[in-house]
Amino acid sequence: MNKLLTSIYGALCCGSLLLTPTLLLTPATATAQTAPAGKTRILVLIDRSGSVHFDVDKAFQKVAEQISRMAQAGDELGVAYIHSQTEVNPQRLALRAALPANYDELGGASQSSARLKVRKQQMAERAQMKTTLRKMLTTAADSRTQESSDVWGSLATMDTFFRSAGPSDNCQVFIVSDLVESMPGAGRRDFHKQHPANDAAQLRQMARADVSKIRSIYGLGSASPLSKVDHLTVLFPASGVQNSQNNAMTQYWTNVFELLGLPRQKVLFQ
């Protein structure tokens, strides 16, 4: 009887030992299959209509902080203007520097040298992004385009810029604008001529009516064209007299963004 129990105990111990390597390998295998980090994609929309005068340094610093965090090839900055002919295709700048494909085969000294080279190249590329951003924030508006402000058109710019973004990408938008849509023509809004009251129900109704027009005018094909945006920050002009206007525009645009796929908790007005 003792011999039988001893044999059973021995068999169980051997089975445990055989199972142990499999159990130990499972976490390592899962770690090896972890998906790579997504790209950072930042879109800046600068209102160049004649009524908008903003704090250039504040806007620059907000975006420059995010540019400084870019660290991998493919991270991208896009900059476009909002005016009477809002640009659908923004100017694009991306980090290009990357470690060589055969990096793991390099010796220790060569690996260190490769990393240093990539860091220096990316530092120069981020500096170029900031230089371009500063220039576009300070460039004088063209008199032919500053009379009106097609803020609706910025939605098409977002749709275009983020269309190829992957599910793990970090997509951010910065809008430097008072958000006052002011376009002439049938079916358009001119909030300069007819400013809406700070009435939440009325502004929500206006947004619902306008979203169908926006989809039609700009050919937004996706059911939720802003669903890939992770965070949107609106930098209002630095003017205390615009508080009432800003409040109305905040409510109106929060509804527009939400109806196009961007939840209100992802929108920040400053």
Side-chain angles (χ1 to χ4, degrees), residues 158-212:
M158 294 181 219
D159 180 40
T160 299
F161 187 73
F162 296 116
R163 191 171 296 167
S164 62
S168 61
D169 289 351
N170 177 18
C171 301
Q172 302 179 50
V173 178
F174 289 87
I175 304 179
V176 187
S177 173
D178 59 5
L179 294 182
V180 177
E181 176 76 8
S182 59
M183 289 293 288
R188 299 303 299 249
R189 295 283 185 192
D190 191 338
F191 288 136
H192 280 309
K193 290 184 177 179
Q194 188 174 1
H195 189 271
N198 286 326
D199 183 301
Q202 178 186 343
L203 290 163
R204 186 163 52 251
Q205 184 178 3
M206 290 174 64
R208 284 178 179 151
D210 290 347
V211 163
S212 61

Side-chain angles (χ1 to χ4, degrees), residues 19-42:
L19 288 172
T20 300
T22 303
L23 293 173
L24 289 175
L25 284 173
T26 301
T29 303
T31 302
Q33 296 175 349
T34 300
K39 303 293 189 295
T40 295
R41 303 183 187 276
I42 300 173

Side-chain angles (χ1 to χ4, degrees), residues 230-245:
D230 295 294
H231 194 79
L232 185 150
T233 301
V234 177
L235 302 174
F236 279 126
S239 173
V241 300
Q242 292 182 314
N243 285 340
S244 175
Q245 174 176 284

